[in-house]
Amino acid sequence: MEQFLENKLYSDVEGTCSGAHGYIIAVLSILDIGSGNVMSGTGQAEFVTRYRAIVFKPFKGEVVDGIVGEVNKMGFFADVGPLNVFVSSHLIDPDMKFDPNSNPPSFASQEEVIDRDTHVRLKIVGTKVDATTIFAIGTIKEDHLGVVG
């Protein structure tokens, strides 16, 4: 029974997002599995379980590395682990101009190009937390931010 509960915890919790705790990346250890309570009317059992986990909860001002997934004239989306961060064209260095004629679409200056699969370092300027997901806005308009490598 204990092995079943452990497997159920791993499958139900890992890879999910809790607004209060952020993205649950991995369960490290199970501290305690409480005694089960049978739920009236259904016959199902409910177990209160305490566990340790690796979580990712982004906060305003945090500097993170990501990979650009989509570029359009409004800005670009970067994947930072499970988090998708939008960087508006207003939060990109003014030297970088959107080039709709390039394939794939990109933001380019004389020194750098940002297109799909480009590694970028960005700063989170705002987050919005829902019950099951986190939305973030980022910037690359400060020193030491932008294309990495």
Side-chain angles (χ1 to χ4, degrees), residues 2-75:
E2 191 171 307
Q3 186 63 43
F4 172 78
L5 293 173
E6 288 179 14
N7 290 339
K8 184 72 170 150
L9 176 70
Y10 290 130
S11 66
D12 287 355
V13 171
E14 287 184 338
T16 63
C17 180
S18 158
H21 304 292
Y23 290 98
I24 300 171
I25 307 299
V27 174
L28 295 177
S29 63
I30 297 174
L31 303 175
D32 178 48
I33 299 176
S35 58
N37 295 325
V38 177
M39 299 168 66
S40 62
T42 65
Q44 294 179 337
E46 179 180 62
F47 294 85
V48 176
T49 306
R50 291 184 20 194
Y51 58 92
R52 284 198 172 106
I54 296 174
V55 298
F56 172 55
K57 185 169 185 182
F59 55 89
K60 184 177 178 181
E62 184 175 7
V63 175
V64 294
D65 288 354
I67 300 173
V68 175
E70 179 186 342
V71 179
N72 60 42
K73 66 180 179 180
M74 301 301 291

Side-chain angles (χ1 to χ4, degrees), residues 9 16 103-104 107 121:
L9 176 70
T16 63
N103 190 13
F107 282 90
R121 180 162 293 138

Side-chain angles (χ1 to χ4, degrees), residues 66-135:
I67 300 173
V68 175
E70 179 186 342
V71 179
N72 60 42
K73 66 180 179 180
M74 301 301 291
F76 66 85
F77 291 91
D79 296 320
V80 180
L83 178 68
N84 199 314
V85 181
F86 177 68
V87 179
S88 168
S89 59
H90 299 289
L91 297 173
I92 297 173
D93 194 305
D95 292 344
M96 299 198 86
K97 302 292 184 204
F98 179 68
D99 183 4
N101 298 322
S102 66
N103 190 13
S106 64
F107 282 90
S109 68
Q110 290 185 351
E111 301 88 32
E112 299 177 326
V113 174
I114 296 177
D115 59 6
R116 181 183 298 274
D117 296 329
T118 301
H119 291 257
V120 292
R121 180 162 293 138
L122 55 94
K123 181 177 179 180
I124 295 173
V125 295
T127 60
K128 180 177 184 255
V129 179
D130 282 351
T132 59
T133 189
I134 301 174
F135 303 98

